[in-house]
Amino acid sequence: MTLIGASVARPDARDKVTGAARYPADLVRPEMAHLKAVFAGRTHARIVGIDAARASALPGVLGVLTAADVPYNRYGLIDSDQEVLCSDRVRYAGDRVALVVAETAVIAARAAALVDVTFEDLPAVTSALDALLPDAPLVHPERGSNVLLHQVIRKGDVERGFADADIVLEGTFTTSWQEHAYLQPDAALAYFEGPALVIETAGQWLHEDRRQLAAIVGLPEDRVIVRYAKIGGAFGGREDLSVQTLAAIATWKFRRPTAIVWNREEAIIGHHKRHPFHITARWGAKRDGTIVAVQTRTVADGGAYASTSIEVLKCAAIFAQGPYRVPNVATDAYVTYTNNVPSGAFRGFGTPQAHWAAESMITRTAHALEIDPLDIRRKNLYREGDTEATRSVLPRGVSALAVLERCAAEVHTRFEPRTRPNPGSNKRRGIGIACGIKNVGYSFGFPDQSTATVELIGTSSIERAVVRIGVADVGQGVALIVRQIAAEVLDLPLRSVAIVHEDSAQAPNAGSASASRLTYMAGRAVHDAAAAARAAFAAGTATSATVQFRPKPTTPLDPNTGEGDPNYCYGYVAQGVEVEVDVSTGLTRVLRIISVHDVGRAINRQQIEGQIEGCLAQAVGYALTENFIVRDGKMLTPHFSTYLLPTTLDMPTEIYPVILELSDPAGPFGARGMAEMPLVPFAPAVAAAIYDATGAWLSDLPMTPERILDAIERTRGAVTAAAAAVVR
């Protein structure tokens, strides 16, 4: 029986549900010193002085570290613009200014409260739109501007397109921050193992973590080892370093094993969020529904540090018109520094924000033209051989129309027929549909690769195999996926294939657990390494093989036109959503979801369904409940009591994951990644359903009951005013 497509059970499932699985905080040993960070608590300020005398005098305190104790006080995934401990200036409330090292966690916390920091407040900029103003305070004065990137994309002649259009619509859309809310808060341990500094933590890219940590402590990379314990979720939130830097410098300084475990408030304050966006969109269409022009202006809030903001913005810019072929496109996208919490990678990586505007606009255009929202999508969706906004031909495997048609069929089959609302009830039901596109893998010329080694054990025949590949299993199950691929290639039972993947010293670099790339990239590397090892074993020449897989190269975007070949693979999704709106309160419940995905080939069907269902829980929160409030740079929702994550009672009882398998030409057995896709079109599908139920358009995320009720009342007011005008 083939293992490809089989719903093989996760080998770590039992340990996770019984509590036997060991996450970083479970690995703290009695002999370890404990760390406590001193947070700035200021939006923008100069550090005048740090007095640690009272803290240092507390019994059990080993020392208090400041910026002067850090060998190389810079880090960042792309741009090293963030300090481990701030030296002269803090740029947001979650900056760290000192680090207490003590015998116990209690003593460390007590000492941290005794560290006296004198600040001189500086003018702050807490709005991305304000950050663009010529007289705005500069977050990083040495850079001379708050603009991290202004990405331009031009295709065709957008003004001529609007002149040729029969209808032109405009809209303004906003999104807010979103907290990753992974189950396991940030934690890290550090200790020396011989001459090597070992950091045990949870992250998304072993070898990138090692590169940055080695630079911080001033050691060669081969003297730094990063090991991942069990990882309790990531969603992009563990791409940037946080507590790892603190454990590394403390152990390097004191030559003593150390541990740091953040509580939930520290985790929320101390790591990045999803980018808030402000998007103005203008769409032009012919009477038959053909979209002829799209113009957008996007401003994203990057927060205090660069993180991955420029890459997020570029992804949002290329999807500003959604998954539609549009001959005339003009996109201006900006991401700015502010004194808010940093923004960075989060599941979807800029595409949910772009689709919030694009899918809302195409639905509004359909209604304005009195065309079925399904039909306008059928007319305009990408086809094989189409050219995207960057003027490049889409990668092979364009299945946007196929997923839409399957979604439409499922909606027709599974959703209840529409009925007139009960005059005595405040409840109204509506149905909405939306489509999406998302890149798989790295983009814009960044070199993508995954390297795997497969070792074979046996005499006359292959009896066992060991796969070595540095993949972060953040809960998505990639360790099982690559074992299934290797077992299939080697014709071995799954139990005969072991994997080494959580240690930077023992597993080769597979790249990050991001961009929905590991099944495609790491899976293909393991596939090819297993095939090469099997051939060498049969020939008697070797018992192992190492293969580096590289996909088709991509190119940067032209800074003046946006022209380029940005991605080597795309995934496609379509969703149907049914909601119930209480028009007296604005409270909205999602009743049913159909989420259709082309996965190329399902390696493990159950895991794909789990990814869809789990991602939809995040999508429900992003669309309706998760309102992360930052005011004047201060985070006002640092607890789950005020930041409302959806619970099981907020989720619909009917979720239908639908999997299409239209083989990708380069993926292992035809597979492509899909784990981010369910989030991409969900919010605009909900907005369309709310409009269907109430006649009210929503433009701001999250769509809280207050915003929904306000939209309903404004719609009622507009209808009443129109009726009064007719009477007059």
Side-chain angles (χ1 to χ4, degrees), residues 405-417:
E405 295 295 6
R406 180 61 182 273
C407 185
E410 294 286 337
V411 167
H412 178 74
T413 301
R414 296 185 182 276
F415 284 9
E416 294 177 358

Side-chain angles (χ1 to χ4, degrees), residues 452-482:
T453 296
V454 174
E455 305 171 30
L456 305 180
I457 297 98
T459 51
S460 58
S461 63
I462 301 169
E463 299 169 8
R464 296 185 292 117
V466 177
V467 175
R468 295 181 181 274
I469 184 164
V471 293
D473 196 322
V474 296
Q476 83 281 40
V478 67
L480 176 57
I481 290 294
V482 297

Side-chain angles (χ1 to χ4, degrees), residues 340-393:
N340 292 323
V341 58
S343 301
F346 199 137
R347 199 175 202 159
F349 208 74
T351 55
Q353 296 97 315
H355 280 72
W356 170 232
E359 286 297 295
S360 295
M361 286 300 292
I362 198 166
T363 300
R364 295 184 188 192
T365 301
H367 284 284
L369 291 169
E370 298 183 337
I371 295 174
D372 188 317
L374 278 170
D375 289 338
I376 198 170
R377 288 176 168 83
R378 288 184 176 110
K379 179 176 284 291
N380 293 283
L381 275 170
Y382 281 142
R383 268 74 164 177
E384 197 76 53
D386 277 348
T387 300
E388 52 189 313
T390 61
R391 307 187 216 174
S392 61
V393 176

Side-chain angles (χ1 to χ4, degrees), residues 11-162:
D12 58 354
R14 181 177 295 276
D15 284 351
K16 285 184 173 179
V17 298
T18 61
R22 292 169 65 77
Y23 296 87
D26 299 318
L27 302 178
V28 178
R29 301 192 297 272
E31 73 274 14
M32 289 183 161
H34 292 259
L35 313 177
K36 189 73 170 181
V38 178
F39 288 94
R42 299 294 182 101
T43 302
H44 193 199
R46 181 173 291 109
I47 300 173
V48 177
I50 300 175
D51 184 353
R54 290 194 302 153
S56 299
L58 195 68
V61 172
L62 301 177
V64 179
L65 302 182
T66 62
D69 296 299
V70 186
Y72 177 67
N73 197 20
R74 311 285 291 184
Y75 72 97
L77 192 61
I78 296 173
D79 186 338
S80 297
D81 65 346
Q82 189 164 3
E83 292 182 314
V84 178
L85 297 172
C86 292
S87 56
D88 64 344
R89 180 188 295 246
V90 298
R91 294 176 171 86
Y92 90 108
D95 267 332
R96 279 74 81 183
V97 296
L99 181 67
V100 174
V101 185
E103 293 291 354
T104 71
V106 172
I107 295 171
R110 191 178 303 157
L114 297 176
V115 176
D116 294 317
V117 185
T118 304
F119 293 106
E120 176 189 330
D121 287 327
L122 297 170
V125 57
T126 57
S127 158
L129 294 175
D130 290 348
L132 293 171
L133 298 175
D135 59 347
L138 294 178
V139 180
H140 294 267
E142 71 279 5
R143 293 176 180 250
S145 171
N146 286 324
V147 177
L148 267 160
L149 177 68
H150 172 203
Q151 182 60 60
V152 173
I153 295 180
R154 298 289 186 267
K155 178 186 178 186
D157 184 338
V158 75
E159 290 306 324
R160 182 171 179 178
F162 285 124

